[in-house]
Amino acid sequence: AKCGAGYHDRHKPTRVPGVCDVCGSTEFVRRADDNAETVRARLAAYNAQTAPLLPYYRERSLLRSVDGMGPIDEVTRAIDRALGAGAH
């Protein structure tokens, strides 16, 4: 939308289809990387480059897990707690 509000087709749609909840605009822009091919590539990179590191950090009690599926403010607080608990 013109105002910069973000939406998701399934998880955060507009209240009125095709109309921005904030500014009423009907003009939306989809990010160029918002497609299945990009998601597949990112998941492949995660599985190849990041997932193998998890056991290393878990064994050393250096891994902090946060459920990122909640509301943004709750996830932010959980991240802050995890980082604060791990600070030296």
Side-chain angles (χ1 to χ4, degrees):
K2 291 179 180 181
C3 67
Y7 297 98
H8 185 276
D9 293 341
R10 185 179 317 150
H11 301 292
K12 189 183 175 196
T14 57
R15 286 188 297 263
V16 175
V19 180
C20 177
D21 297 345
V22 178
C23 71
S25 175
T26 58
E27 297 178 31
F28 294 88
V29 176
R30 186 174 298 272
R31 289 179 14 185
D33 65 347
D34 186 6
N35 59 65
E37 181 181 328
T38 300
V39 171
R40 278 192 289 276
R42 288 179 180 164
L43 288 172
Y46 171 81
N47 288 322
Q49 300 169 8
T50 303
L53 298 173
L54 298 177
Y56 173 88
Y57 288 101
R58 188 175 291 115
E59 290 167 7
R60 289 159 180 79
S61 297
L62 297 172
L63 181 66
R64 305 282 193 286
S65 295
V66 172
D67 180 357
M69 295 306 294
I72 292 172
D73 58 332
E74 289 179 21
V75 174
T76 300
R77 284 192 297 274
I79 291 170
D80 288 343
R81 283 192 303 273
L83 292 175
H88 299 297

